Amino acid sequence: NAGVTQTPKFQVLKTGQSMTLQCAQDMNHNSMYWYRQDPGMGLRLIYYSASEGTTDKGEVPNGYNVSRLNKREFSLRLESAAPSQTSVYFCASSADRNDRPQHFGDGTRLSIL
Amino acid sequence: GENVEQHPSTLSVQEGDSAVIKCTYSDSASNYFPWYKQELGKRPQLIIDIRSNVGEKKDQRIAVTLNKTAKHFSLHITETQPEDSAVYFCAASMGNNNAGNMLTFGGGTRLMVKP
């Protein structure tokens, strides 16, 4: 039981390049989330998916797209990376009920030059 | 939407002392309040949570209290140890919604425990 798995763990991109961050969970959770965490700051929600087939914008969606591929997988895509998107990206999942915790992956450290 | 404020942003204590971190929230419909610990370079990990039908919850050296009337909740760590040094985040659920368990996070508290 791996929980939430993110790939890759580290990535360096050049401005304008595109890339997809992958996330998979094996806890049979319906809800999945993408956050970014900038140095010394808290977690800001980029996108979320309440269930397979649905996605919605969070607090900071600009410059990102997401795909809920199936119940297990939720990917985050940067179409044209910008230096302002240098951050640590965390994926999380939770059960449906709103009194259940979110479980986080280990994060992807993304640097854009 | 929900707004969660967390204080202090940094907290330094001597080993063995207690540490208290406080959070306030704005949405009276919020009914679930988890606390996460994040060590340097690691993922946030749940350490304790409380639901709105409970005023206090303890787990060994960690306790959380909730005051729904005042819309604030606090994390208490007793007998602090160097391994408690980390960043702690509070969060509040937005209540019933169609987004699973959407959480709003506080800005974090960096706790430093001096040996």
Side-chain angles (χ1 to χ4, degrees):
Chain A
N1 190 337
V4 180
T5 303
Q6 290 184 236
T7 56
K9 296 189 184 303
F10 302 93
Q11 186 69 48
V12 178
L13 293 177
K14 293 181 180 178
T15 298
Q17 287 185 317
S18 62
M19 123 153 249
T20 300
L21 309 185
Q22 306 287 353
C23 175
Q25 52 91 10
D26 61 5
M27 294 175 282
N28 201 35
H29 286 162
N30 278 327
S31 302
M32 297 185 74
Y33 312 83
W34 275 105
Y35 293 90
R36 63 178 287 173
Q37 185 176 36
D38 298 317
M41 296 184 68
L43 295 152
R44 293 188 292 170
L45 183 66
I46 305 171
Y47 270 93
Y48 65 93
S49 171
S51 62
E52 186 178 353
T54 69
T55 61
D56 281 288
K57 295 178 181 179
E59 179 187 355
V60 289
N62 290 346
Y64 305 95
N65 285 301
V66 290
S67 296
R68 184 73 183 269
L69 304 170
N70 47 56
K71 189 171 185 178
R72 290 186 64 248
E73 299 173 287
F74 187 37
S75 62
L76 178 72
R77 182 161 178 85
L78 286 71
E79 290 291 352
S80 179
S84 61
Q85 294 178 303
T86 293
S87 190
V88 180
Y89 291 85
F90 287 100
C91 177
S93 70
S94 73
D96 272 351
R97 286 177 51 170
N98 65 352
D99 62 351
R100 291 291 182 265
Q102 291 186 13
H103 300 267
F104 287 82
D106 286 333
T108 295
R109 283 149 185 80
L110 183 61
S111 294
I112 299 162
L113 307 177
Chain B
E2 176 66 279
N3 182 48
V4 177
E5 295 196 358
Q6 184 171 346
H7 300 281
S9 56
T10 60
L11 179 60
S12 181
V13 299
Q14 286 294 136
E15 182 177 359
D17 287 350
S18 295
V20 180
I21 302 170
K22 299 181 179 181
C23 288
T24 60
Y25 61 99
S26 61
D27 190 343
S28 57
S30 291
N31 60 3
Y32 174 66
F33 308 92
W35 285 89
Y36 288 84
K37 175 183 180 182
Q38 186 178 29
E39 297 176 352
L40 189 63
K42 301 288 183 65
R43 63 178 154 176
Q45 290 196 293
L46 180 75
I47 55 172
I48 196 167
D49 56 9
I50 191 167
R51 292 164 179 80
S52 59
N53 59 345
V54 176
E56 182 176 2
K57 183 177 178 181
K58 289 183 180 179
D59 183 2
Q60 299 182 5
R61 297 184 297 106
I62 293 173
V64 58
T65 58
L66 171 65
N67 184 326
K68 284 214 72 176
T69 302
K71 290 190 281 188
H72 68 70
F73 56 113
S74 301
L75 178 71
H76 304 254
I77 306 174
T78 59
E79 301 172 20
T80 54
Q81 302 167 2
E83 51 265 38
D84 293 329
S85 295
V87 178
Y88 292 80
F89 292 98
C90 64
S93 161
M94 287 185 173
N96 291 322
N97 55 62
N98 296 319
N101 189 9
M102 183 106 83
L103 296 174
T104 299
F105 286 86
T109 296
R110 181 173 301 280
L111 174 64
M112 295 170 283
V113 181
K114 301 176 191 175

